[in-house]
Amino acid sequence: MKYLKHILIVACLCVLPSQVRGAACCGSNSAFPSIISGDDKTQISTTLTAGRISALAQPSGKITALSDAKTPETFASQLDAATLLSDRWQIGTSLPLRYRAVGDTGAWSVGDITLNVAYEALPEWAFSAWVPKGFVFVQARVPTGTSRFESSQLNAIDVSGKGFWGVSAGVLLLKTWGSWDVSLLGQIGQSFAHSYGDSRYVPGANLSAGLGLGVSPGAGSFRIGAFVGPIYEAPISVEGPLSFDTPSEMGWQSTLQLSYMASSTLSLSLAYADQRLFQSVSHNVPIGQSLSFVLQKRWSR
């Protein structure tokens, strides 16, 4: 049961980046990697997400509500896969596809593909009341999506990526006590400069963190959980005919999750994310809500 709960935690974490990260005009800021946390050799997850942006947190922190005619609506599907290379090393990838619409106009776009390597730095080979199970990971982002600098559609409905190659590193810690579980996530990343037209764009670092808490009533197959954490992206320096720095971005993710372990190799998860809870401490990011469904299939070692 301990490993089954770890699987449910990671399955829920995987839905977070789809809608709660990134600016209103661009793709997701970063993505949580697909990590095998249980006693499995390979896993594949399919995520379907529907969301809408109801307001914008301005650089000053002021919240501006959007009218129904200007409210962006999104639909995203994402395929995540991971497989073991050895007992403690694993690799994974994420392949996103997004649909974005404003009013009656919409467009499908491929998002940024991510590749990751993870290492189980703290395996649970012996019982400990306090030492968690821990993973460290490195992730690369390939700018296969359309960026805001390349957008050709009204209201930037074709934007699905950041427009920069990027790399990040992070830590995931998992711990269970009976029916309860806690997860802690930290990630730091850096995108690389790229030129568009006559200007060169030099991104800053991005940081994210999160704390999750869950419970499996009666130590059964259901899990109810919550996750909350900040996301920060440093300003982008623009060098060219007009040189300036864009405002930094600061947002918070808050998610409620319900998961069900249908069998030892199949799980389902439903997650609701809402950025309005911490909108008063957000700036230069969209304020949106989303609903995600995750189906995950695993193959044992």
Side-chain angles (χ1 to χ4, degrees):
M1 181 60 67
K2 175 177 62 177
Y3 291 118
L4 296 183
K5 293 185 70 176
H6 287 169
I7 291 168
L8 290 180
I9 299 169
V10 175
C12 289
L13 288 174
C14 287
V15 310
L16 296 176
S18 299
Q19 296 297 326
V20 299
R21 299 188 179 197
C25 58
C26 53
S28 61
N29 190 26
S30 59
F32 181 79
S34 179
I35 288 181
I36 298 173
S37 59
D39 193 21
D40 302 301
K41 178 178 177 57
T42 302
Q43 69 182 31
I44 296 178
S45 304
T46 299
T47 304
L48 301 176
T49 302
R52 66 191 300 270
I53 297 173
S54 57
L56 297 177
Q58 302 294 343
S60 63
K62 179 183 177 181
I63 305 300
T64 302
L66 299 178
S67 64
D68 291 339
K70 295 183 178 180
T71 298
E73 297 180 344
T74 59
F75 176 81
S77 63
Q78 182 163 304
L79 181 67
D80 299 279
T83 189
L84 293 182
L85 298 177
S86 67
D87 283 344
R88 300 173 72 177
W89 286 96
Q90 57 182 281
I91 57 173
T93 185
S94 296
L95 309 173
L97 180 65
R98 295 188 174 92
Y99 177 81
R100 181 182 173 93
V102 177
D104 297 327
T105 306
W108 283 97
S109 301
V110 175
D112 289 343
I113 294 174
T114 58
L115 307 169
N116 61 270
V117 177
Y119 176 71
E120 189 175 355
L122 293 175
E124 287 186 317
W125 287 341
F127 171 78
S128 172
W130 299 105
V131 178
K133 186 171 189 175
F135 297 86
V136 293
F137 59 86
V138 176
Q139 185 176 57
R141 183 183 66 243
V142 183
T144 49
T146 301
S147 72
R148 54 179 164 172
F149 313 109
E150 305 165 293
S151 176
S152 60
Q153 300 289 329
L154 184 65
N155 295 315
I157 59 173
D158 57 337
V159 170
S160 59
K162 294 295 293 181
F164 303 103
W165 289 83
V167 64
S168 62
V171 176
L172 171 65
L173 301 176
L174 308 169
K175 187 62 183 176
T176 62
W177 292 278
S179 298
W180 293 88
D181 62 77
V182 174
S183 59
L184 183 64
L185 169 68
Q187 190 171 5
I188 180 170
Q190 177 65 56
S191 298
F192 303 105
H194 190 78
S195 295
Y196 290 96
D198 296 331
S199 298
R200 183 170 183 266
Y201 296 81
V202 184
N206 54 78
L207 307 169
S208 61
L211 176 65
L213 177 65
V215 62
S216 299
S221 299
F222 284 94
R223 177 185 180 272
I224 302 170
F227 187 89
V228 63
I231 299 168
Y232 172 80
E233 184 166 347
I236 298 176
S237 296
V238 181
E239 303 171 352
L242 293 176
S243 297
F244 60 94
D245 290 343
T246 66
S248 63
E249 300 175 8
M250 179 68 183
W252 281 77
Q253 53 189 354
S254 54
T255 305
L256 294 176
Q257 309 149 340
L258 174 64
S259 302
Y260 174 66
M261 184 71 69
S263 70
S264 61
T265 61
L266 185 67
S267 61
L268 303 90
S269 301
L270 191 66
Y272 173 72
D274 198 325
Q275 293 174 297
R276 292 175 296 184
L277 184 61
F278 295 99
Q279 66 180 21
S280 62
V281 290
S282 301
H283 64 263
N284 200 32
V285 293
I287 305 299
Q289 305 84 47
S290 68
L291 185 66
S292 298
F293 172 78
V294 181
L295 176 65
Q296 186 180 85
K297 173 64 177 176
R298 296 174 299 279
W299 289 264
S300 301
R301 303 188 190 190

